Amino acid sequence: MKHVDEYRAPERVRRLAAAIAEDVKRPMRVMEVCGGQTHSIVRFGIDQLLPPALTLIHGPGCPVCVTPIAVIDAAIGLAHRPGVTLCSFGDMLRVPGSRTSLIAARAAGAAVRIVHSPLEAFALARADPAREVVFFAVGFETTAPATAMLLVEAQRLGVSNVSVLCAHVRVPAALEALLADPATKLDGFLAAGHVCAVMGTAEYEPIARRHHVPIVITGFEPVDILQGLLMCVEDIAARRARVRNAYARVVRPEGSRAARAALARCFTAVDSDWRGLGRIEAGGFAIAPAFAAFDAAQRYDIGRAAGGEDPRCRAGDVLRGALRPDRCPSFGTACTPEHPLGAPMVSGEGACAAYHRYRSIAP
Amino acid sequence: VTLAEGVIRVGRVDFGGVTQEVNLSYVPEAAPGDWIVAHVGFAIARIDEDSAARTLALLDERPG
Protein backbone atom coordinates (compact mmCIF):
# COMPACT_ATOMS: atom_id res chain seq x y z
CA MET A 1 0.00 0.00 0.00
CA LYS A 2 1.12 3.55 -0.70
CA HIS A 3 2.79 5.32 2.27
CA VAL A 4 3.65 1.92 3.73
CA ASP A 5 5.77 -0.06 1.25
CA GLU A 6 8.27 2.71 0.57
CA TYR A 7 9.00 2.86 4.30
CA ARG A 8 9.83 -0.84 4.44
CA ALA A 9 12.30 -0.86 1.52
CA PRO A 10 15.32 -3.02 2.47
CA GLU A 11 17.88 -0.77 0.74
CA ARG A 12 16.71 2.31 2.67
CA VAL A 13 16.74 0.32 5.91
CA ARG A 14 20.28 -0.87 5.23
CA ARG A 15 21.62 2.62 4.48
CA LEU A 16 20.03 4.10 7.59
CA ALA A 17 21.32 1.31 9.84
CA ALA A 18 24.84 1.87 8.45
CA ALA A 19 24.60 5.63 9.08
CA ILE A 20 23.45 5.02 12.67
CA ALA A 21 26.38 2.66 13.29
CA GLU A 22 28.78 5.43 12.23
CA ASP A 23 27.39 7.87 14.78
CA VAL A 24 27.31 5.54 17.79
CA LYS A 25 30.80 5.70 19.25
CA ARG A 26 29.86 5.31 22.91
CA PRO A 27 26.99 3.60 24.80
CA MET A 28 23.63 5.31 24.20
CA ARG A 29 20.18 4.57 25.59
CA VAL A 30 17.20 5.77 23.57
CA MET A 31 13.59 5.25 24.60
CA GLU A 32 10.84 4.85 22.03
CA VAL A 33 7.80 6.12 23.84
CA CYS A 34 4.96 4.57 21.89
CA GLY A 35 3.89 0.94 22.06
CA GLY A 36 3.11 1.03 18.34
CA GLN A 37 6.80 1.78 17.73
CA THR A 38 7.83 -1.01 20.12
CA HIS A 39 5.75 -3.51 18.15
CA SER A 40 7.27 -2.32 14.87
CA ILE A 41 10.82 -2.56 16.30
CA VAL A 42 10.33 -6.10 17.59
CA ARG A 43 8.29 -7.28 14.61
CA PHE A 44 10.79 -6.11 11.98
CA GLY A 45 13.86 -6.89 14.10
CA ILE A 46 15.05 -3.26 13.94
CA ASP A 47 16.88 -3.63 17.28
CA GLN A 48 18.94 -6.43 15.75
CA LEU A 49 20.22 -4.11 13.00
CA LEU A 50 21.67 -1.62 15.49
CA PRO A 51 25.22 -1.40 16.85
CA PRO A 52 25.55 -3.13 20.26
CA ALA A 53 26.36 0.18 21.98
CA LEU A 54 22.89 1.55 21.13
CA THR A 55 20.19 0.18 23.43
CA LEU A 56 16.51 0.76 22.74
CA ILE A 57 14.45 1.08 25.89
CA HIS A 58 10.74 0.41 25.46
CA GLY A 59 8.58 3.13 26.96
CA PRO A 60 5.17 3.28 28.64
CA GLY A 61 3.22 4.25 25.51
CA CYS A 62 0.51 1.64 25.85
CA PRO A 63 -2.70 3.29 27.08
CA VAL A 64 -4.32 0.03 28.07
CA CYS A 65 -1.23 -0.90 30.12
CA VAL A 66 -1.21 2.25 32.22
CA THR A 67 -4.96 2.34 32.97
CA PRO A 68 -5.25 1.93 36.77
CA ILE A 69 -6.65 -1.27 38.25
CA ALA A 70 -9.24 0.80 40.15
CA VAL A 71 -10.67 2.15 36.87
CA ILE A 72 -10.85 -1.34 35.32
CA ASP A 73 -12.65 -2.56 38.45
CA ALA A 74 -15.02 0.41 38.09
CA ALA A 75 -15.70 -0.48 34.45
CA ILE A 76 -16.44 -4.08 35.42
CA GLY A 77 -18.75 -2.86 38.19
CA LEU A 78 -20.64 -0.64 35.73
CA ALA A 79 -20.99 -3.48 33.22
CA HIS A 80 -22.67 -5.59 35.91
CA ARG A 81 -25.16 -2.83 36.76
CA PRO A 82 -28.69 -3.57 35.46
CA GLY A 83 -29.62 -1.42 32.46
CA VAL A 84 -26.01 -0.39 31.71
CA THR A 85 -23.97 -1.33 28.64
CA LEU A 86 -20.24 -0.76 29.01
CA CYS A 87 -18.51 0.02 25.69
CA SER A 88 -14.77 -0.55 25.43
CA PHE A 89 -12.00 -0.85 22.87
CA GLY A 90 -11.23 -4.53 22.26
CA ASP A 91 -7.71 -4.62 23.66
CA MET A 92 -8.97 -3.63 27.11
CA LEU A 93 -11.09 -6.75 27.49
CA ARG A 94 -8.45 -9.23 28.67
CA VAL A 95 -6.57 -6.76 30.85
CA PRO A 96 -6.74 -8.00 34.43
CA GLY A 97 -8.40 -5.83 37.07
CA SER A 98 -7.83 -6.75 40.69
CA ARG A 99 -10.02 -9.85 40.55
CA THR A 100 -11.25 -10.35 37.01
CA SER A 101 -11.28 -8.83 33.53
CA LEU A 102 -14.00 -7.35 31.33
CA ILE A 103 -13.99 -10.48 29.16
CA ALA A 104 -14.54 -12.73 32.18
CA ALA A 105 -17.23 -10.35 33.41
CA ARG A 106 -18.94 -10.58 30.02
CA ALA A 107 -18.84 -14.38 30.19
CA ALA A 108 -20.49 -14.04 33.61
CA GLY A 109 -23.36 -12.03 32.10
CA ALA A 110 -22.19 -8.41 32.27
CA ALA A 111 -23.11 -6.16 29.33
CA VAL A 112 -19.77 -5.44 27.67
CA ARG A 113 -19.64 -4.31 24.07
CA ILE A 114 -16.55 -3.83 21.90
CA VAL A 115 -16.48 -0.58 19.92
CA HIS A 116 -13.88 0.82 17.52
CA SER A 117 -14.79 4.46 18.08
CA PRO A 118 -16.49 6.52 20.80
CA LEU A 119 -19.05 7.48 18.16
CA GLU A 120 -20.19 3.83 18.00
CA ALA A 121 -21.00 4.02 21.71
CA PHE A 122 -22.85 7.27 21.02
CA ALA A 123 -24.87 5.69 18.19
CA LEU A 124 -25.73 2.78 20.48
CA ALA A 125 -27.07 5.19 23.12
CA ARG A 126 -29.20 7.04 20.56
CA ALA A 127 -30.59 3.81 19.15
CA ASP A 128 -31.72 2.53 22.56
CA PRO A 129 -32.73 5.41 24.88
CA ALA A 130 -33.89 2.95 27.54
CA ARG A 131 -30.34 1.72 28.14
CA GLU A 132 -27.53 3.59 29.84
CA VAL A 133 -24.39 3.47 27.71
CA VAL A 134 -21.00 4.09 29.31
CA PHE A 135 -17.96 4.59 27.09
CA PHE A 136 -14.71 3.43 28.75
CA ALA A 137 -12.37 6.13 27.44
CA VAL A 138 -8.77 4.96 27.35
CA GLY A 139 -5.95 6.43 25.30
CA PHE A 140 -3.46 9.24 24.78
CA GLU A 141 -3.95 12.62 23.12
CA THR A 142 -4.49 10.72 19.87
CA THR A 143 -7.72 9.20 21.14
CA ALA A 144 -9.01 11.87 23.51
CA PRO A 145 -10.31 14.18 20.70
CA ALA A 146 -12.65 11.36 19.59
CA THR A 147 -14.02 11.14 23.14
CA ALA A 148 -14.35 14.94 23.13
CA MET A 149 -16.60 14.66 20.08
CA LEU A 150 -18.85 12.24 21.94
CA LEU A 151 -19.17 14.72 24.83
CA VAL A 152 -19.86 17.68 22.53
CA GLU A 153 -22.43 15.78 20.49
CA ALA A 154 -24.15 14.30 23.57
CA GLN A 155 -24.54 17.80 25.00
CA ARG A 156 -25.58 19.40 21.70
CA LEU A 157 -28.25 16.77 20.99
CA GLY A 158 -29.30 16.24 24.62
CA VAL A 159 -28.50 12.52 24.64
CA SER A 160 -28.68 11.93 28.38
CA ASN A 161 -28.29 8.13 28.48
CA VAL A 162 -24.61 8.23 27.52
CA SER A 163 -21.62 8.91 29.75
CA VAL A 164 -17.83 8.57 29.75
CA LEU A 165 -15.59 6.72 32.22
CA CYS A 166 -12.51 8.83 31.53
CA ALA A 167 -9.00 7.35 31.79
CA HIS A 168 -7.24 9.46 29.15
CA VAL A 169 -3.60 10.22 29.81
CA ARG A 170 -1.04 12.80 28.66
CA VAL A 171 2.29 11.69 27.19
CA PRO A 172 4.55 14.70 27.94
CA ALA A 173 3.79 14.37 31.65
CA ALA A 174 5.03 10.77 31.61
CA LEU A 175 8.23 11.78 29.79
CA GLU A 176 8.88 14.34 32.52
CA ALA A 177 8.33 11.71 35.20
CA LEU A 178 10.67 9.21 33.49
CA LEU A 179 13.40 11.83 33.03
CA ALA A 180 13.11 12.97 36.64
CA ASP A 181 13.80 9.39 37.78
CA PRO A 182 17.61 9.03 37.96
CA ALA A 183 17.32 5.24 37.51
CA THR A 184 16.15 5.50 33.88
CA LYS A 185 19.33 7.17 32.51
CA LEU A 186 18.09 8.02 29.04
CA ASP A 187 20.19 9.81 26.41
CA GLY A 188 17.36 10.52 23.98
CA PHE A 189 13.71 9.98 23.11
CA LEU A 190 11.70 9.02 20.08
CA ALA A 191 8.38 10.79 20.66
CA ALA A 192 5.12 9.23 19.46
CA GLY A 193 4.29 10.58 16.01
CA HIS A 194 0.54 10.25 16.18
CA VAL A 195 0.27 11.98 19.55
CA CYS A 196 2.24 14.86 17.99
CA ALA A 197 0.01 14.83 14.89
CA VAL A 198 -2.73 16.01 17.28
CA MET A 199 -0.76 18.07 19.80
CA GLY A 200 2.07 19.46 17.69
CA THR A 201 5.67 19.68 18.87
CA ALA A 202 5.78 22.69 21.23
CA GLU A 203 5.13 20.70 24.43
CA TYR A 204 8.44 18.87 24.01
CA GLU A 205 10.72 21.93 23.71
CA PRO A 206 10.82 22.73 27.45
CA ILE A 207 11.34 19.02 28.29
CA ALA A 208 14.33 18.75 25.95
CA ARG A 209 15.83 21.94 27.43
CA ARG A 210 15.15 21.14 31.07
CA HIS A 211 16.54 17.60 30.97
CA HIS A 212 19.08 18.22 28.24
CA VAL A 213 17.97 15.37 25.97
CA PRO A 214 17.22 15.31 22.26
CA ILE A 215 13.63 14.36 21.38
CA VAL A 216 12.78 13.25 17.84
CA ILE A 217 9.17 13.03 16.67
CA THR A 218 9.07 9.63 14.97
CA GLY A 219 6.71 7.52 12.86
CA PHE A 220 6.00 3.82 12.88
CA GLU A 221 7.40 2.08 9.81
CA PRO A 222 10.97 0.69 9.80
CA VAL A 223 12.40 3.57 7.72
CA ASP A 224 10.59 6.09 9.95
CA ILE A 225 11.98 4.57 13.13
CA LEU A 226 15.53 4.30 11.78
CA GLN A 227 15.39 7.89 10.53
CA GLY A 228 14.20 9.03 13.97
CA LEU A 229 17.00 7.03 15.60
CA LEU A 230 19.61 8.47 13.23
CA MET A 231 18.56 12.05 14.05
CA CYS A 232 18.54 11.17 17.75
CA VAL A 233 22.02 9.60 17.84
CA GLU A 234 23.42 12.52 15.78
CA ASP A 235 22.20 14.91 18.47
CA ILE A 236 23.36 12.68 21.32
CA ALA A 237 26.84 12.41 19.73
CA ALA A 238 26.99 16.20 19.31
CA ARG A 239 25.49 16.76 22.82
CA ARG A 240 22.61 18.78 21.38
CA ALA A 241 19.29 18.86 23.25
CA ARG A 242 16.56 19.88 20.85
CA VAL A 243 13.29 18.73 19.32
CA ARG A 244 13.37 17.52 15.71
CA ASN A 245 10.67 16.07 13.48
CA ALA A 246 11.40 12.85 11.59
CA TYR A 247 7.71 12.42 10.67
CA ALA A 248 7.10 15.66 8.80
CA ARG A 249 4.70 14.12 6.28
CA VAL A 250 2.20 13.66 9.14
CA VAL A 251 3.21 15.98 12.00
CA ARG A 252 2.87 19.78 11.65
CA PRO A 253 4.48 21.93 14.36
CA GLU A 254 1.04 23.18 15.42
CA GLY A 255 -0.65 19.75 15.32
CA SER A 256 -4.39 19.73 14.65
CA ARG A 257 -5.82 23.06 15.82
CA ALA A 258 -9.37 21.72 15.77
CA ALA A 259 -8.47 18.68 17.87
CA ARG A 260 -6.53 20.75 20.38
CA ALA A 261 -9.45 23.14 20.71
CA ALA A 262 -11.79 20.19 21.38
CA LEU A 263 -9.44 18.88 24.08
CA ALA A 264 -9.21 22.30 25.73
CA ARG A 265 -13.00 22.58 25.73
CA CYS A 266 -13.79 19.11 27.10
CA PHE A 267 -10.94 18.19 29.46
CA THR A 268 -8.69 19.58 32.17
CA ALA A 269 -5.21 18.23 32.96
CA VAL A 270 -5.12 16.57 36.39
CA ASP A 271 -2.63 14.52 38.42
CA SER A 272 -3.35 10.90 37.71
CA ASP A 273 -2.23 7.36 38.49
CA TRP A 274 -0.46 5.38 35.78
CA ARG A 275 -0.55 1.64 36.37
CA GLY A 276 3.03 0.52 36.98
CA LEU A 277 4.42 4.06 37.16
CA GLY A 278 2.45 5.64 40.01
CA ARG A 279 1.06 9.14 40.37
CA ILE A 280 2.10 11.53 37.59
CA GLU A 281 1.71 15.28 37.85
CA ALA A 282 -0.75 16.50 35.20
CA GLY A 283 -0.59 12.95 33.82
CA GLY A 284 -4.24 12.65 32.88
CA PHE A 285 -7.34 14.32 31.49
CA ALA A 286 -10.47 14.76 33.59
CA ILE A 287 -13.81 15.73 32.04
CA ALA A 288 -14.26 19.52 32.24
CA PRO A 289 -16.97 20.90 34.58
CA ALA A 290 -19.07 22.02 31.58
CA PHE A 291 -19.52 18.33 30.67
CA ALA A 292 -19.86 16.96 34.23
CA ALA A 293 -23.35 15.64 33.42
CA PHE A 294 -21.70 13.10 31.11
CA ASP A 295 -18.98 11.99 33.55
CA ALA A 296 -19.64 8.38 34.60
CA ALA A 297 -17.49 8.86 37.71
CA GLN A 298 -19.97 11.53 38.86
CA ARG A 299 -23.12 9.85 37.61
CA TYR A 300 -22.49 6.48 39.30
CA ASP A 301 -20.97 5.39 42.59
CA ILE A 302 -18.04 3.53 41.06
CA GLY A 303 -16.37 2.33 44.28
CA ARG A 304 -12.73 1.54 44.91
CA ALA A 305 -10.33 -1.17 43.74
CA ALA A 306 -10.90 -4.48 45.49
CA GLY A 307 -7.21 -5.40 45.39
CA GLY A 308 -3.87 -4.82 43.73
CA GLU A 309 -1.52 -6.22 41.11
CA ASP A 310 -0.63 -9.90 40.87
CA PRO A 311 2.66 -10.02 42.83
CA ARG A 312 4.35 -11.99 40.04
CA CYS A 313 3.73 -9.22 37.48
CA ARG A 314 6.64 -6.84 36.86
CA ALA A 315 4.78 -4.56 34.46
CA GLY A 316 6.01 -1.50 36.36
CA ASP A 317 9.64 -2.37 35.59
CA VAL A 318 8.76 -3.09 31.95
CA LEU A 319 6.89 0.22 31.53
CA ARG A 320 9.82 2.17 33.03
CA GLY A 321 12.21 0.43 30.66
CA ALA A 322 14.04 -1.23 33.58
CA LEU A 323 13.22 -4.82 32.54
CA ARG A 324 13.10 -6.30 29.06
CA PRO A 325 9.88 -8.33 28.75
CA ASP A 326 11.57 -11.64 27.89
CA ARG A 327 13.74 -11.38 31.01
CA CYS A 328 10.71 -11.48 33.33
CA PRO A 329 10.52 -14.84 35.18
CA SER A 330 6.83 -15.22 34.30
CA PHE A 331 7.24 -14.38 30.57
CA GLY A 332 5.65 -17.06 28.41
CA THR A 333 5.11 -19.38 31.38
CA ALA A 334 2.78 -18.03 34.08
CA CYS A 335 1.99 -15.06 31.80
CA THR A 336 0.76 -15.41 28.20
CA PRO A 337 -1.61 -13.34 26.03
CA GLU A 338 -4.40 -15.86 26.73
CA HIS A 339 -3.79 -15.80 30.50
CA PRO A 340 -1.99 -12.53 31.23
CA LEU A 341 -0.77 -11.54 34.69
CA GLY A 342 -0.50 -7.92 33.63
CA ALA A 343 -1.64 -5.49 30.97
CA PRO A 344 1.51 -5.30 28.76
CA MET A 345 1.03 -8.96 27.80
CA VAL A 346 -2.45 -8.22 26.44
CA SER A 347 -2.54 -5.09 24.40
CA GLY A 348 -1.61 -4.64 20.76
CA GLU A 349 0.70 -1.92 22.07
CA GLY A 350 2.10 -3.79 25.09
CA ALA A 351 5.84 -4.56 25.10
CA CYS A 352 5.39 -8.04 26.61
CA ALA A 353 2.85 -8.95 23.92
CA ALA A 354 5.30 -7.77 21.21
CA TYR A 355 8.07 -10.03 22.52
CA HIS A 356 5.69 -12.94 22.99
CA ARG A 357 4.35 -12.62 19.47
CA TYR A 358 7.60 -12.05 17.59
CA ARG A 359 10.42 -13.33 19.79
CA SER A 360 9.10 -16.46 21.48
CA ILE A 361 11.33 -19.42 20.75
CA ALA A 362 9.48 -22.62 19.95
CA PRO A 363 10.06 -25.36 22.55
CA VAL B 1 -10.85 10.20 0.71
CA THR B 2 -14.21 11.02 -0.87
CA LEU B 3 -16.60 13.37 0.88
CA ALA B 4 -20.13 13.21 2.28
CA GLU B 5 -21.12 16.59 3.72
CA GLY B 6 -23.51 16.93 6.65
CA VAL B 7 -23.53 18.78 9.96
CA ILE B 8 -20.38 16.81 10.71
CA ARG B 9 -17.94 16.34 7.87
CA VAL B 10 -17.48 12.65 7.12
CA GLY B 11 -15.34 11.05 4.45
CA ARG B 12 -15.28 7.61 2.93
CA VAL B 13 -11.73 6.36 3.21
CA ASP B 14 -10.21 3.45 1.32
CA PHE B 15 -7.83 1.57 3.64
CA GLY B 16 -6.00 -0.49 1.04
CA GLY B 17 -9.23 -2.09 -0.20
CA VAL B 18 -11.63 -1.73 2.73
CA THR B 19 -13.76 1.42 2.69
CA GLN B 20 -14.88 2.98 5.96
CA GLU B 21 -16.46 6.23 7.07
CA VAL B 22 -14.11 8.56 8.90
CA ASN B 23 -14.98 11.75 10.75
CA LEU B 24 -13.01 14.68 9.29
CA SER B 25 -13.74 17.31 11.97
CA TYR B 26 -10.13 17.47 13.14
CA VAL B 27 -8.56 17.63 9.70
CA PRO B 28 -10.78 20.18 7.95
CA GLU B 29 -8.25 20.60 5.13
CA ALA B 30 -8.70 16.96 3.98
CA ALA B 31 -9.94 16.87 0.38
CA PRO B 32 -10.95 14.13 -2.06
CA GLY B 33 -7.91 12.16 -3.18
CA ASP B 34 -5.87 12.92 -0.04
CA TRP B 35 -4.23 10.26 2.09
CA ILE B 36 -4.94 10.60 5.80
CA VAL B 37 -3.98 8.99 9.09
CA ALA B 38 -7.09 7.67 10.84
CA HIS B 39 -7.55 6.65 14.46
CA VAL B 40 -10.72 5.39 16.23
CA GLY B 41 -12.97 6.66 13.47
CA PHE B 42 -11.34 10.09 13.12
CA ALA B 43 -8.82 11.56 10.72
CA ILE B 44 -5.94 12.94 12.82
CA ALA B 45 -3.63 14.13 10.03
CA ARG B 46 -3.39 14.64 6.29
CA ILE B 47 -0.30 13.09 4.74
CA ASP B 48 1.79 15.78 3.04
CA GLU B 49 2.79 14.12 -0.24
CA ASP B 50 5.46 16.74 -1.07
CA SER B 51 7.11 16.33 2.31
CA ALA B 52 7.04 12.53 1.96
CA ALA B 53 8.67 12.71 -1.49
CA ARG B 54 11.35 15.15 -0.27
CA THR B 55 12.25 12.95 2.70
CA LEU B 56 12.57 9.81 0.59
CA ALA B 57 14.67 11.64 -2.03
CA LEU B 58 17.05 12.94 0.65
CA LEU B 59 17.33 9.46 2.08
CA ASP B 60 18.14 7.96 -1.29
CA GLU B 61 20.82 10.59 -2.02
CA ARG B 62 22.65 9.76 1.19
CA PRO B 63 25.77 7.75 0.44
CA GLY B 64 25.23 4.19 1.65
Side-chain angles (χ1 to χ4, degrees):
Chain A
M1 187 162 77
K2 190 170 167 171
H3 294 301
V4 174
D5 298 337
E6 52 275 53
Y7 300 95
R8 295 182 182 178
E11 178 58 20
R12 290 186 178 127
V13 167
R14 194 191 61 72
R15 283 158 167 262
L16 282 165
I20 289 168
E22 268 179 37
D23 276 331
V24 178
K25 297 207 165 48
R26 58 183 167 92
M28 296 179 184
R29 287 160 59 86
V30 174
M31 176 179 273
E32 88 278 3
V33 173
C34 175
Q37 293 166 335
T38 303
H39 269 253
S40 195
I41 286 164
V42 180
R43 175 182 173 196
F44 292 106
I46 293 169
D47 48 341
Q48 294 163 346
L49 299 174
L50 302 175
L54 174 58
T55 308
L56 290 183
I57 309 292
H58 310 313
C62 164
V64 158
C65 302
V66 301
T67 300
I69 282 189
V71 182
I72 296 173
D73 285 356
I76 292 167
L78 287 170
H80 275 298
R81 196 180 281 251
V84 170
T85 297
L86 190 282
C87 293
S88 169
F89 294 129
D91 59 353
M92 199 72 219
L93 259 63
R94 282 179 197 277
V95 175
S98 62
R99 290 191 179 152
T100 183
S101 62
L102 281 166
I103 202 163
R106 185 169 70 174
V112 178
R113 186 102 175 221
I114 293 177
V115 293
H116 302 96
S117 167
L119 296 185
E120 275 179 49
F122 184 63
L124 211 62
R126 291 189 82 186
D128 192 355
R131 271 197 92 73
E132 297 268 311
V133 173
V134 180
F135 174 64
F136 188 6
V138 169
F140 295 130
E141 296 94 328
T142 340
T143 315
T147 303
M149 183 69 72
L150 185 162
L151 293 168
V152 167
E153 286 297 287
Q155 191 175 69
R156 183 174 73 88
L157 299 168
V159 180
S160 60
N161 62 320
V162 71
S163 62
V164 172
L165 179 62
C166 184
H168 284 304
V169 282
R170 299 178 60 246
V171 171
L175 286 199
E176 285 272 15
L178 285 166
L179 284 164
D181 178 354
T184 39
K185 290 195 208 76
L186 296 166
D187 300 301
F189 271 107
L190 305 186
H194 291 157
V195 169
C196 297
V198 171
M199 300 303 290
T201 59
E203 292 182 299
Y204 296 90
E205 303 280 356
I207 300 176
R209 269 201 305 276
R210 203 160 32 238
H211 298 280
H212 206 77
V213 287
I215 300 175
V216 182
I217 318 293
T218 303
F220 298 85
E221 294 298 332
V223 166
D224 290 320
I225 289 171
L226 287 165
Q227 201 200 348
L229 270 174
L230 176 60
M231 290 163 77
C232 198
V233 300
E234 281 170 359
D235 280 353
I236 295 170
R239 301 188 188 279
R240 278 188 301 249
R242 57 178 173 174
V243 177
R244 288 206 283 169
N245 186 0
Y247 200 33
R249 71 182 182 281
V250 168
V251 175
R252 319 288 178 259
E254 71 282 8
S256 160
R257 285 204 174 83
R260 281 195 292 127
L263 292 180
R265 181 176 171 198
C266 295
F267 299 107
T268 41
V270 291
D271 296 351
S272 86
D273 291 320
W274 285 46
R275 188 175 186 169
L277 295 181
R279 196 127 186 106
I280 293 183
E281 195 182 334
F285 281 127
I287 294 171
F291 295 91
F294 300 96
D295 186 349
Q298 297 189 43
R299 187 177 293 189
Y300 307 98
D301 174 18
I302 58 173
R304 327 198 75 197
E309 204 74 67
D310 187 302
R312 293 168 295 174
C313 180
R314 297 189 52 194
D317 292 332
V318 169
L319 290 169
R320 258 193 303 275
L323 176 71
R324 217 174 73 182
D326 56 347
R327 294 186 179 149
C328 173
S330 302
F331 178 82
T333 53
C335 183
T336 62
E338 293 72 35
H339 300 284
L341 294 179
M345 184 54 95
V346 187
S347 167
E349 293 178 300
C352 302
Y355 275 76
H356 194 271
R357 186 156 177 196
Y358 301 116
R359 291 285 160 84
S360 288
I361 295 157
Chain B
V1 175
T2 52
L3 288 183
E5 298 277 351
V7 177
I8 292 171
R9 201 151 166 267
V10 172
R12 278 181 293 277
V13 179
D14 179 346
F15 294 86
V18 179
T19 302
Q20 286 193 314
E21 284 207 340
V22 168
N23 189 303
L24 300 176
S25 302
Y26 297 137
V27 187
E29 68 273 25
D34 281 350
W35 289 78
I36 55 133
V37 176
H39 179 68
V40 298
F42 286 78
I44 57 167
R46 189 184 75 86
I47 296 179
D48 181 336
E49 302 264 0
D50 295 337
S51 165
R54 271 199 308 277
T55 304
L56 289 175
L58 271 175
L59 219 57
D60 294 340
E61 279 167 20
R62 174 186 273 282

